[in-house]
Amino acid sequence: MSKTPRSSLRYRTRLHQAAAAQMLIVARCKLCMRSRHYLASDLLECGYAPELFVEELFGPRCPHCDSPNFFRVRERYANSDDVGHTVIRRPAGERRIQLWKDEYYGPLS
């Protein structure tokens, strides 16, 4: 029996199910040939909703080339071939950015 997740729309995986099963989330665009691998548990820690379907995580378009037709997000189980060969994007901290706005100079109230 294969360890590949079911592909039917009836059995779509939610993020908390993928995290419980220690799955990898793969976001791939076949137009610009970019591929990113994430741990499902890391995405939960970053604030993504647990009830969100895996296919809907990053939106319908590629963040790099903005193509809606070739971008796909899927889940898969990690296997022994991934050890030492697959690059996983992990959270490395947060950055605080100072926001500025432009105003006309006038008397201070």
Side-chain angles (χ1 to χ4, degrees):
M1 182 170 184
S2 174
K3 290 192 75 172
T4 305
R6 297 176 182 181
S7 61
S8 171
L9 289 178
R10 182 176 178 194
Y11 300 104
R12 296 193 316 171
T13 306
R14 296 187 185 271
L15 185 58
H16 71 89
Q17 294 169 332
Q22 300 177 349
M23 297 177 101
L24 296 176
I25 306 297
V26 182
R28 180 175 293 140
C29 179
K30 291 191 178 186
L31 184 64
C32 65
M33 302 303 289
R34 286 183 173 246
S35 179
R36 301 282 190 236
H37 293 77
Y38 303 90
L39 290 175
S41 56
D42 287 345
L43 295 176
L44 274 179
E45 292 174 10
C46 288
Y48 283 93
E51 293 299 319
L52 195 62
F53 289 114
V54 170
E55 298 89 19
E56 300 168 353
L57 275 174
F58 303 114
R61 296 179 169 270
C62 174
H64 184 258
C65 69
D66 204 38
S67 168
N69 299 328
F70 299 97
F71 185 66
R72 191 163 199 188
V73 179
R74 301 298 254 161
E75 74 279 356
R76 71 175 182 90
Y77 291 102
N79 57 29
S80 60
D81 294 337
D82 293 327
V83 177
H85 298 286
T86 302
V87 177
I88 304 290
R89 289 185 66 104
R90 306 280 318 264
E94 295 179 10
R95 185 184 314 177
R96 183 173 171 231
I97 299 173
Q98 178 67 44
L99 300 176
W100 296 88
K101 66 178 182 177
D102 293 333
E103 294 181 348
Y104 288 105
Y105 178 74
L108 301 174
S109 44

